[in-house]
Amino acid sequence: SDGSYVIHSALSIYENNKTDYVLDVLGGKDTNAATLCIWPKTGYSNQSFELLTVAEAVAKFPTPQRNLPNGIDVSSWQPADIGWRVDYDFMIVKATGATWYRNPNLSAQASAALSRGKKLGLYHFAQESDTNNSAIAEADWFISNIGSYLGKAVLFLDYERDLPGTDSTWITQFCQRVKARTGISCQIYASGNWAKNYINGLWTQLGVWLWQANYSYGYAPFYGYNPTGTYMVTPQQGMMIHQYTSSGYLTGYSKALDLDVLYGSYADWDYRCKT
């Protein structure tokens, strides 16, 4: 997202994530080298690079998925101390809805993630209770309730309205308002069907992430994060977070949770907190 690249050895993917390879940049062992090279420790060179987006790499090579950051998303349906009860790499907390709703557990849930050194996200639920507010008004309400977390959390708009034909304009106005007032971009959450049929590619146009809900396993229970090692979904272009179940169970909490995976790195997350 910031123009940099992560170089990952295709050899280590094919050979069970072995780590006996070193990366040479513009020289090193071979002073005439003009490219990046992977050098197996046996001494021969093998230029095995392929430039892929994170989502494309995940779709092509299932093994690295197991090492991606895992997370949950929560709201007032979960207890205030949920952030202390279960394990996660990132937690996305519902902050607000419409122009009147504020999650009563917002402070406790968000503070738990930050106190534990975990990654934090905050989302606004558009048109709470089918109200018909302007995108500007809702964006202002969202911003007014998350001031202390700006720069510390990735921001999201959860859009689930059934108003095909007007949604792209509303979402665009919301995201642009957040960016204009905070300097931080607002990512988009949508179901797989909605993302494909009603706002297809909008996140790319806005230069933000897509957080997509797509339950390829239906509502079968997950005990722990991705126990099978595969998600059985082809990521849409630009999809960075996949909410793959609402029937996840983690040690420390007896009820079902939404489970998510980030098709990126902690550095990606930190970048989106501030830009």
Side-chain angles (χ1 to χ4, degrees):
S1 58
D2 63 357
S4 64
Y5 295 95
V6 174
I7 307 298
H8 193 288
S9 165
L11 292 174
S12 67
I13 294 174
Y14 288 124
E15 299 188 17
N16 300 318
N17 285 332
K18 290 181 180 178
T19 58
D20 57 339
Y21 296 93
V22 293
L23 183 63
D24 228 359
V25 182
L26 299 178
K29 292 182 179 180
D30 181 356
T31 57
N32 295 318
T35 59
L36 293 165
C37 294
I38 294 174
W39 298 85
K41 289 183 178 178
T42 52
Y44 63 89
S45 66
N46 192 327
Q47 297 179 332
S48 304
F49 290 107
E50 183 176 12
L51 187 60
L52 302 172
T53 66
V54 173
E56 289 169 340
V58 167
K60 187 169 184 178
F61 305 112
T63 301
Q65 283 183 309
R66 299 183 182 128
N67 300 319
L68 292 171
N70 292 292
I72 58 175
D73 56 274
V74 301
S75 66
S76 60
W77 289 105
Q78 285 74 41
D81 64 347
I82 186 65
W84 295 102
R85 293 194 187 189
V86 299
D87 189 31
Y88 53 89
D89 298 313
F90 63 89
M91 182 167 69
I92 305 174
V93 179
K94 180 177 181 179
T96 55
T99 58
W100 53 270
Y101 178 79
R102 184 182 192 276
N103 174 8
N105 294 334
L106 169 61
S107 296
Q109 291 172 339
S111 296
L114 294 177
S115 295
R116 293 182 63 185
K118 306 296 186 178
K119 302 303 180 183
L120 175 65
L122 299 174
Y123 76 89
H124 173 83
F125 190 89
Q127 308 278 3
E128 183 89 31
S129 300
D130 290 330
T131 52
N132 190 24
N133 301 308
S134 74
I136 302 300
E138 294 210 12
D140 286 345
W141 174 249
F142 180 43
I143 295 166
S144 70
N145 283 278
I146 61 171
S148 62
Y149 300 108
L150 291 177
K152 303 175 184 177
V154 178
L155 308 181
F156 298 89
L157 170 65
D158 180 345
Y159 193 88
E160 302 180 31
R161 287 280 279 174
D162 191 17
L163 295 173
T166 63
D167 19 76
S168 291
T169 299
W170 201 100
I171 292 169
T172 298
Q173 291 176 345
F174 184 99
C175 292
Q176 289 179 342
R177 180 68 167 182
V178 171
K179 180 70 171 182
R181 286 198 56 195
T182 68
I184 301 170
S185 61
C186 186
Q187 323 313 312
I188 300 171
Y189 170 93
S191 69
N193 178 67
W194 193 266
K196 179 180 180 180
N197 295 316
Y198 299 116
I199 59 170
N200 189 25
L202 179 61
W203 53 92
T204 302
Q205 296 171 31
L206 294 174
V208 302
W209 290 352
L210 172 65
W211 171 21
Q212 183 188 107
N214 191 319
Y215 300 168
S216 297
Y217 287 89
Y219 296 94
F222 274 68
Y223 297 100
Y225 294 106
N226 187 33
T228 64
T230 58
Y231 293 100
M232 292 176 61
V233 62
T234 300
Q236 290 197 38
Q237 183 178 7
M239 183 173 85
M240 283 294 286
I241 302 177
H242 180 198
Q243 183 190 82
Y244 55 93
T245 184
S246 61
S247 304
Y249 293 88
L250 301 177
T251 300
Y253 186 61
S254 62
K255 296 182 179 180
L257 291 165
D258 294 341
L259 301 186
D260 305 89
V261 62
L262 172 67
Y263 293 142
S265 67
Y266 294 128
D268 292 325
W269 192 281
D270 292 341
Y271 178 82
R272 282 298 183 182
C273 286
K274 300 180 183 297
T275 306

